[in-house]
Amino acid sequence: MGDVAAKIKVMPNSPEVDLDDLQDRLEEALPEGAKIRGFQRDDVAFGLVALLPTVIVPDGAGGTEAVEEAFSQVEDVESVAVENVGRL
C-alpha cells in the first residue's frame, strides 16, 4: 500500500477568521498518520477565503474520512470538502 494525496477545501465560517491561526489549528487536528504537504488559499467571494491543504494519508480503509472529520471539528470551520484525490 502507498500513500494518497488529497486536496481538501476548508471554508471558514466568516471572512474575519484569522487564516494563519486556522491553518495552525488544522495542522494540530490531523489524525495520526496524516500530514500536510502545503496550503493554498482560494478567494471565494465577499472577502471569504478558503484554505486548501494538501493532505497525505496512508492508502487504507477510510481514506480521507478521518481527516475530514477532524477538520470539521476545528473551531471556525464552516465546511470541509475533498476537491481531488490521487495516489503518490
Side-chain angles (χ1 to χ4, degrees):
M1 257 193 272
D3 288 335
V4 172
K7 184 172 281 188
I8 300 177
K9 187 173 198 171
V10 179
M11 293 294 298
N13 59 14
S14 158
E16 287 81 34
V17 171
D18 179 344
L19 294 178
D20 293 327
D21 181 51
L22 180 57
Q23 190 169 309
D24 291 341
R25 288 185 279 137
L26 291 173
E27 289 177 339
E28 292 170 6
L30 279 175
E32 189 174 327
K35 57 187 176 238
I36 293 178
R37 184 171 277 174
F39 280 89
Q40 294 178 328
R41 295 185 182 191
D42 182 29
D43 293 329
V44 179
F46 306 108
L48 191 61
V49 178
L51 289 177
L52 297 164
T54 299
V55 180
I56 309 300
V57 294
D59 184 17
T64 61
E65 288 179 19
V67 174
E68 292 172 67
E69 178 66 28
F71 283 179
S72 68
Q73 299 300 315
V74 172
E75 184 180 351
D76 296 324
V77 171
E78 179 69 28
S79 65
V80 176
V82 175
E83 291 287 297
N84 65 44
V85 178
R87 288 187 173 217
L88 294 177

